[in-house]
Amino acid sequence: MRKRLEKSAILTGKTETITAMDFRRGPGDVLLQAQMGKTFNITKHGVVIAVLHAPEPDAFELGREIRRLKLAGS
């Protein structure tokens, strides 16, 4: 099983293949890494049965964040 990661790790764009059993043994660690941007291909008997990653922000969330940070033209 993977070693635990620090919360400051940047994992965007990283993909790892793990077994369903690995996921069952450490779901908290896998979910934390997914939240930080890592993608997991979860396999069962060598076949990918799921892909786990953080959701993409929707347009409304992005617009709200742009307005909050005042990044839009004045």
Side-chain angles (χ1 to χ4, degrees), residues 2-11 23 26-40 52-54:
R2 290 163 308 289
K3 62 180 179 176
R4 292 189 169 272
L5 296 177
E6 295 180 26
K7 288 186 178 184
S8 62
I10 298 174
L11 302 171
F23 179 72
D29 184 43
V30 173
L31 292 172
L32 176 62
Q33 291 180 57
Q35 182 182 9
M36 291 189 294
K38 191 169 188 176
T39 298
F40 289 91
L52 176 67
H53 59 85

Side-chain angles (χ1 to χ4, degrees), residues 23-72:
F23 179 72
R24 275 186 272 174
R25 287 183 184 140
D29 184 43
V30 173
L31 292 172
L32 176 62
Q33 291 180 57
Q35 182 182 9
M36 291 189 294
K38 191 169 188 176
T39 298
F40 289 91
N41 292 325
I42 302 172
T43 64
K44 187 171 185 179
H45 304 293
V47 177
V48 175
I49 59 168
V51 178
L52 176 67
H53 59 85
E56 298 292 326
D58 66 25
F60 291 114
E61 288 179 47
L62 289 175
R64 210 172 18 247
E65 192 64 14
I66 288 170
R67 286 189 298 280
R68 186 183 75 77
L69 296 173
K70 298 182 178 155
L71 296 176

